[in-house]
Amino acid sequence: MAQSMEIASFRRITPGILASARLAMANDIPETSKAEVAIILKKAAPILGIDGSTYHIMDILIGLSRADDWKGANRPIVAISNAKLAEYTCRSERQVTRCIRRLVEAGIVAYRDSPTGRRFVYRGKDGDISKGYGLDFTPAQVRIKELKALVDEFQARLNSEQEARRTVTRLSRAIVDACEAYPELAARWSEELERVKGLGLNLEEEAAALEDMHTGIVAEVTDEYVQHDMSAEGDIGVSPNINTTSQNSIESKNERPRSIEREISSQAYDRFAVAASTEKKSELIRPHVEASRGEKRSTSVDEIQSSVLASVSVGLLRAACPQACEMAGKEFRSWPELAAAAPVMRVMIGLSEAGWVDGVGRVGRYAAAAILATVLEKSARSPDQISSPGGYFRAMIDRAVEGQLHLEKSLFGLADGAFKRGAGSTQ
């Protein structure tokens, strides 16, 4: 098939469209597969600004392409009309046109227009495309290494931000606890904490500033007590006992500061949260967003979470959602690992951060993450059946709050489907 690219005269040409056309004319195409490119494109969607309807349309186009067209010298061309895409996605044709244009300008699809503007594909006896006009995914193949690097960098940034967010939360609590333990110094420390919070630093910078502040607080109270206990003022002719062990700030109190209690609790949480029974799970997995709410509300959320996850295990989730695991880059071996993948999965279904926070606040962090993984898996398997994955997530949250969600049934169905597809592929 000729490698020349034709763009219809009715299109308004932009630098992004021309760049995609040049990529589509490349002859040196890396050896890739449809599955590999599909996974990379879905992971790179947040980086490329592809979300909502555009993401949905990209998913449909990839699904319509043939696996053999991604191999060798073939070109993965998809010939489907905008009207049919509008019918699949429940969107207008104008919106579909805009979404396709975003995919082209993002550098993953190229226009391959016929003289009449229609899209069609002619295949030879061997099934290869002899002539085709439509939407060409060759630019995505050519950029596969670049996209992989972008995805790795994006994932590393997400992990760094998540760790910094945890550090900020932990140290802020520790400083507040120190203020309660030392009322005479609380005003100065509180003022310094507010000053750091008001500097407008990013998460990494704020975490570093709080780390320095916390280290200074520990050194200040420790030095204060060392100097007090080891003071030799008024002694004459008596050398200090250098073998005396100084009493530290923790030992000088009848009770340990609450930051130590929370640190121990956090270690126990990481170690035993998954193995805990559903009755005790609520005490270990209370989401951070509920900390500032009333006790009655927290108990209600814990009960909902325990009810949703009563018959759900991490192993079941892993078996039922293999595509979600692959797209999120996690294996879902524990509840904390599942929750850590939520930011990536949220972006992949086009769910806003406010929608995610609301879901966590209503059903709990782990229940919301389990529902999110289920929605991502369903939308990846049947994108034409779920026109709005974000709305589907919110609907499942509502059903969970009402006590009408049976998540285990959905997961068993997905696991059965994954098993049948795996058995079919081995035959």
Side-chain angles (χ1 to χ4, degrees):
M1 186 174 60
Q3 306 304 324
S4 61
M5 291 294 297
E6 296 182 2
I7 302 177
S9 58
F10 59 80
R11 299 195 187 280
R12 181 170 58 85
I13 305 300
T14 64
I17 292 177
L18 289 177
S20 295
R22 284 193 294 269
L23 289 171
M25 290 189 291
N27 292 319
D28 187 14
I29 302 176
E31 190 67 28
T32 58
S33 64
K34 173 182 174 180
E36 180 184 8
V37 177
I39 291 172
I40 293 299
L41 287 180
K42 290 177 180 180
K43 288 183 176 181
I47 311 168
L48 301 175
I50 298 172
D51 55 8
S53 299
T54 306
Y55 181 92
H56 192 187
I57 288 174
M58 180 189 73
D59 199 25
I60 292 175
L61 293 175
I62 294 174
L64 291 174
S65 65
R66 292 190 180 183
D68 292 339
D69 291 343
W70 295 79
K71 300 177 181 178
N74 295 330
R75 302 280 166 157
I77 300 174
V78 180
I80 182 174
S81 66
N82 289 354
K84 201 66 176 177
L85 282 173
E87 180 182 341
Y88 284 162
T89 58
C90 300
R91 301 291 189 271
S92 67
E93 290 189 38
R94 289 180 63 85
Q95 187 171 0
V96 168
T97 301
R98 288 194 295 269
C99 291
I100 292 176
R101 190 179 188 88
R102 287 181 63 185
L103 293 174
V104 174
E105 293 183 339
I108 60 175
V109 175
Y111 290 118
R112 189 180 289 271
D113 294 327
S114 66
T116 61
R118 295 183 60 190
R119 298 170 185 163
F120 58 90
V121 169
Y122 292 146
R123 297 184 181 272
K125 294 182 180 179
D126 56 356
D128 293 339
I129 297 177
S130 58
K131 179 181 291 186
Y133 297 100
L135 301 171
D136 189 353
F137 275 97
T138 301
Q141 287 182 290
V142 175
R143 296 182 61 195
I144 188 67
K145 292 184 179 179
E146 175 192 351
L147 293 174
K148 284 181 179 179
L150 290 175
V151 167
D152 292 340
E153 181 182 352
F154 177 69
Q155 188 63 51
R157 187 170 71 253
L158 282 181
N159 293 338
S160 176
E161 290 177 356
Q162 186 178 49
E163 182 61 30
R165 188 177 293 108
R166 290 172 178 170
T167 300
V168 168
T169 301
R170 175 175 57 83
L171 293 178
S172 297
R173 289 177 175 175
I175 292 171
V176 170
D177 291 339
C179 291
E180 294 179 2
Y182 299 93
E184 66 278 7
L185 302 173
R188 178 161 56 85
W189 292 344
S190 298
E191 182 179 350
E192 178 65 14
L193 179 60
E194 292 300 324
R195 187 189 68 81
V196 172
K197 294 284 188 179
L199 290 176
L201 305 175
N202 59 39
L203 285 172
E204 288 82 359
E205 293 172 344
E206 185 176 349
L210 291 178
E211 185 75 43
D212 293 340
M213 181 180 173
H214 183 260
T215 302
I217 290 174
V218 173
E220 182 177 354
V221 297
T222 303
D223 291 344
E224 174 188 346
Y225 275 83
V226 168
Q227 294 172 4
H228 177 74
D229 294 338
M230 296 296 293
S231 175
E233 183 178 359
D235 292 346
I236 300 175
V238 179
S239 60
N241 185 356
I242 61 174
N243 293 323
T244 300
T245 302
S246 62
Q247 185 180 15
N248 59 33
S249 60
I250 297 177
E251 294 171 341
S252 66
K253 298 290 180 181
N254 292 330
E255 297 180 357
R256 291 178 295 183
R258 285 194 296 153
S259 59
I260 304 299
E261 298 282 356
R262 286 174 178 168
E263 188 172 68
I264 296 173
S265 176
S266 175
Q267 294 173 358
Y269 162 81
D270 290 336
R271 216 177 305 160
F272 305 116
V274 178
S277 64
T278 56
E279 291 80 10
K280 295 182 180 178
K281 188 186 297 181
S282 61
E283 295 179 7
L284 298 174
I285 62 177
R286 178 171 298 171
H288 170 62
V289 296
E290 290 296 317
S292 61
R293 301 189 180 183
E295 186 64 27
K296 181 178 180 180
R297 177 60 177 164
S298 297
T299 303
S300 176
V301 169
D302 291 340
E303 290 174 354
I304 293 173
Q305 182 164 244
S306 297
S307 175
V308 172
L309 301 181
S311 302
V312 176
S313 65
V314 178
L316 174 59
L317 261 168
R318 186 169 58 251
C321 304
Q323 294 189 47
C325 293
E326 194 169 14
M327 292 164 65
K330 302 284 186 179
E331 296 186 5
F332 298 170
R333 295 192 177 276
S334 65
W335 289 110
E337 186 175 357
L338 172 66
V344 176
M345 295 192 292
R346 172 186 70 77
V347 174
M348 286 187 174
I349 70 168
L351 178 67
S352 65
E353 185 174 1
W356 165 247
V357 171
D358 177 70
V360 171
R362 298 177 67 191
V363 304
R365 182 183 176 208
Y366 290 164
I371 293 173
L372 185 61
T374 304
V375 174
L376 178 58
E377 182 72 19
K378 286 187 175 183
S379 63
R381 294 190 192 183
S382 306
D384 55 329
Q385 295 182 7
I386 303 179
S387 60
S388 176
Y392 196 86
F393 171 84
R394 293 185 179 90
M396 291 185 70
I397 293 293
D398 291 339
R399 292 183 62 189
V401 173
E402 296 169 359
Q404 298 179 359
L405 179 65
H406 302 287
L407 186 61
E408 67 279 2
K409 293 184 179 180
S410 298
L411 291 174
F412 278 121
L414 290 172
D416 185 58
F419 174 77
K420 290 180 179 178
R421 282 199 305 276
S425 62
T426 58
Q427 292 178 355

